[in-house]
């Protein structure tokens, strides 16, 4: 995909004036125990611009006289280090996957940047100041920019994060294709769970069914911690310790997704443990599905924002619950409707994107309607993924069954 990364960098360079430089860090794996680290996961904005997934890599772009000079710094190949910790990409491989011609050993970064700053040919340094890393001394961009200001107090710092995130909001055809691949795996995993579910199973056994579908396709881990719960455990929104027993008559809630080639899906499907919805479960499920479909009907590019979708969801869920006798006229919908239902997906499960703007072609996001009625022991959400087109939307997860009859048929 180096052509895509090159286009993305070119788009960002419109922000770089003469005397500006961009510094991006891939990051490194955080420590887990005395002698082990967590698996490495590349900074999403670094990957978005470079396509490189190797730890500790650094990208430097400098505007010199209107020309952009790009340099990628990576760890030098080391047979002994690889023997212990795995394969390191070569300079040639890094250049091929990123489209960056100049690749240097990581140890040269301080020297190269130091020479640039000493010459004062650069006065503005752009970093990826992720809002979630604000105040974190261990974040690479914070640590490095602080040391630069200490040695070169005349340098001005700028934040590349908003510009990169705005670009990430609109997916190109290649990104949408990868999300489709993730959704195909997610579909197969959810359908496999529906077919496997039965009373007496442990939640983690059903989760294992989903994980095996992913593993059989060469995917070692899901997009996020699987949520597979039953009965009263459905009332924990982020339930990540699936140790309960699935009981006859209860609903199962699955909120799962696959990550394929760095891109994710995020789908929720509820279904009955024994394969048959009770009349009460059908009644509440039908309300949620009705509103889910109505929300999709609102998706006209340039005409609606996430806030308007959320407002419509709250109003319609309340109206339906009042009409069905579950809510009193003076009761708030928040009694049963606990969370928002729209968020971008892409390189992250809750992907980046400026809030408040109207939906636009290329946006990929969730439509999620959840109803949680603890006194009825009925709690679930129906979550789908859509992409906005030039004229409307495409329901990307339409082949993951969600009609009551289709779910029961799948489970039989």
């Amino acid at each position: 995909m180096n052509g895509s990364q090159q286009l993305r960098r070119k788009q960002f360079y419109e922000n770089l004036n003469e005397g500006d430089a961009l510094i991006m860090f891939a990051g490194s794996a955080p420590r887990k125990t005395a002698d082990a680290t967590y698996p490495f996961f590349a900074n999403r904005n670094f990957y978005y611009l470079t396509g490189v997934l190797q730890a500790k890599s650094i990208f430097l772009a400098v505007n010199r006289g209107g020309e952009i000079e790009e340099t990628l710094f990576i760890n030098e190949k080391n047979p002994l280090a690889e023997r212990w910790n795995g394969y390191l990409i070569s300079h040639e491989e890094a250049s091929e996957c990123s489209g960056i011609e100049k690749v240097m050993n990581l140890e040269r970064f301080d020297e190269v940047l130091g020479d640039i700053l000493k010459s004062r040919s650069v006065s503005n340094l752009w970093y990826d100041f992720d809002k979630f890393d604000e105040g974190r001394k261990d974040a690479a961009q914070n640590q490095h920019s602080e040391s630069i200001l200490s040695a070169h107090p005349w340098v001005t710092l700028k934040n590349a994060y908003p510009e990169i995130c705005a670009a990430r909001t609109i997916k190109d055809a290649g990104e949408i294709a990868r999300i489709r691949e993730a959704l195909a795996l997610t579909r197969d995993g959810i359908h496999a769970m529906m077919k496997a579910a039965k009373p007496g199973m442990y939640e983690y056994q059903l989760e294992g069914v989903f994980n095996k579908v992913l593993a059989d396709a060469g995917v070692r881990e899901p997009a996020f911690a699987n949520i597979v719960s039953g009965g009263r455990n459905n009332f924990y929104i982020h339930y990540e310790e699936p140790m309960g027993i699935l009981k006859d008559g209860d609903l199962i809630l699955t909120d799962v997704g696959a990550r394929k080639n760095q891109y994710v899906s995020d789908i929720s499907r509820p279904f009955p443990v024994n394969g048959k919805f009770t009349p009460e479960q059908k009644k509440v499920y039908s309300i949620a599905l009705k509103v889910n479909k109505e929300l999709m009907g609102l998706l006209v590019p340039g005409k609606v924002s996430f806030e308007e979708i959320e407002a419509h969801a709250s109003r319609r869920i309340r109206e339906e619950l009042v009409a069905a006798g579950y809510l009193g006229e003076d009761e708030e919908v928040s009694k049963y409707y606990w969370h928002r239902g729209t968020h971008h997906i892409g390189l992250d499960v809750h992907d980046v994107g400026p809030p408040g703007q109207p939906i636009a072609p290329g946006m990929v996001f969730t439509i999620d309607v959840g109803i949680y009625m603890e006194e009825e022991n009925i709690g679930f959400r129906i979550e789908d993924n859509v992409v906005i087109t030039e004229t409307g939307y495409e329901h990307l997860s339409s082949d993951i069954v969600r009609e009551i009859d289709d779910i029961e048929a799948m489970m039989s």
Side-chain angles (χ1 to χ4, degrees):
M1 282 184 73
N2 66 34
S4 298
Q5 273 89 32
Q6 287 173 308
L7 287 174
R8 294 166 189 168
R9 294 197 299 271
K10 184 177 180 181
Q11 178 182 357
F12 179 80
Y13 294 153
E14 294 176 5
N15 300 287
L16 291 189
N17 297 317
E18 186 173 348
D20 286 10
L22 169 69
I23 301 174
M24 301 283 292
F25 298 92
S28 56
R31 181 179 175 183
K32 183 177 182 180
T33 63
D35 61 351
T37 62
Y38 287 98
F40 171 66
F41 193 74
N43 177 280
R44 300 289 83 187
N45 283 350
F46 178 89
Y47 172 77
Y48 182 75
L49 291 186
T50 69
V52 174
L53 292 169
Q54 186 154 289
K56 300 181 180 179
S57 303
I58 303 174
F59 174 61
L60 173 66
V62 182
N63 186 329
R64 293 182 188 270
E67 296 294 324
I68 303 295
E69 295 182 4
E70 298 181 324
T71 310
L72 180 66
F73 299 86
I74 64 172
N75 272 318
E76 184 177 10
K77 284 187 72 65
N78 182 325
L80 182 58
E82 289 182 275
R83 181 183 300 169
W84 288 97
N85 298 313
Y87 186 78
L88 294 171
I89 61 174
S90 67
H91 287 197
E92 294 75 21
E93 289 168 323
S95 181
E96 174 62 26
C97 78
S98 67
I100 299 168
E101 293 184 9
K102 191 175 182 181
V103 182
M104 301 178 70
N105 291 340
L106 183 61
E107 61 188 23
R108 296 284 311 280
F109 172 68
D110 289 336
E111 171 196 340
V112 171
L113 181 61
D115 289 343
I116 292 171
L117 293 173
K118 286 175 187 175
S119 71
R120 297 216 174 193
S121 59
V122 164
S123 56
N124 299 313
L125 288 181
W126 292 73
Y127 287 91
D128 180 26
F129 289 123
D130 187 328
K131 63 180 180 179
F132 294 108
D133 284 337
E134 188 174 347
R136 279 187 53 200
K137 294 290 186 181
D138 61 331
Q141 67 276 18
N142 297 344
Q143 196 174 64
H144 190 265
S145 61
E146 186 175 310
S147 68
I148 290 296
L149 280 183
S150 177
H152 308 279
W154 47 269
V155 168
T156 299
L157 302 183
K158 295 191 173 185
N159 190 6
Y161 181 82
E163 298 295 336
I164 300 172
C165 291
R168 280 176 54 186
T169 305
I170 306 300
K171 275 63 178 178
D172 62 31
E175 293 177 291
I176 295 169
R178 291 182 172 197
I179 293 171
R180 290 184 195 277
E181 292 176 353
L183 275 165
L185 269 182
T186 305
R187 173 202 62 211
D188 293 347
I190 290 174
H191 289 175
M193 284 193 289
M194 288 181 177
K195 294 173 183 177
K198 61 183 178 181
M201 284 184 78
Y202 283 91
E203 293 163 341
Y204 62 80
Q205 290 176 309
L206 193 59
E207 179 193 30
V209 173
F210 181 80
N211 288 342
K212 185 178 185 304
V213 170
L214 268 58
D216 287 346
V219 174
R220 294 185 56 227
E221 62 180 8
F224 53 93
N226 296 323
I227 298 170
V228 179
S229 59
R232 306 211 64 81
N233 291 335
N234 295 353
F235 301 109
Y236 304 112
I237 301 299
H238 291 138
Y239 177 74
E240 297 177 3
E241 295 293 333
M243 302 299 291
I245 296 177
L246 301 175
K247 298 176 183 177
D248 195 2
D250 280 352
L251 280 178
I252 296 167
L253 169 62
T254 62
D255 188 341
V256 294
R259 181 184 301 277
K260 182 70 172 175
N261 293 320
Q262 302 304 311
Y263 284 82
V264 307
S265 59
D266 182 9
I267 300 293
S268 294
R269 286 290 186 271
F271 46 93
V273 172
N274 61 16
K276 291 289 183 182
F277 288 90
T278 67
E280 205 70 25
Q281 289 168 352
K282 285 184 178 181
K283 189 176 178 181
V284 181
Y285 185 95
S286 296
I287 291 173
L289 184 57
K290 179 180 181 180
V291 175
N292 177 297
K293 293 176 179 178
E294 287 182 10
L295 295 180
M296 289 192 190
L298 300 176
L299 302 181
V300 179
K303 298 295 185 181
V304 66
S305 66
F306 279 11
E307 284 70 19
E308 290 167 317
I309 295 170
E310 296 294 346
H312 186 92
S314 294
R315 178 176 61 82
R316 288 293 297 121
I317 291 170
R318 186 182 186 283
E319 289 173 351
E320 291 291 333
L321 290 176
V322 169
Y326 293 116
L327 266 183
E329 289 286 354
D330 59 345
E331 289 185 296
E332 296 293 328
V333 72
S334 58
K335 179 178 180 180
Y336 296 135
Y337 180 57
W338 293 353
H339 57 76
R340 293 169 62 90
T342 49
H343 63 79
H344 295 282
I345 60 171
L347 288 171
D348 282 315
V349 178
H350 289 84
D351 209 23
V352 293
Q357 68 184 42
I359 61 174
M363 287 185 177
V364 184
F365 54 85
T366 61
I367 293 293
D368 185 2
V369 176
I371 299 176
Y372 306 90
M373 305 170 64
E374 293 184 84
E375 66 271 26
E376 302 285 349
N377 194 29
I378 297 175
F380 64 90
R381 50 191 173 270
I382 306 171
E383 182 178 26
D384 286 279
N385 298 166
V386 298
V387 58
I388 301 304
T389 65
E390 293 295 333
T391 57
Y393 75 96
E394 180 186 348
H395 182 184
L396 294 173
S397 51
S398 60
D399 59 350
I400 304 176
V401 299
R402 61 179 191 158
E403 299 289 343
I404 288 173
D405 290 346
D406 292 336
I407 291 173
E408 291 184 343
M410 175 75 68
M411 297 187 73
S412 68

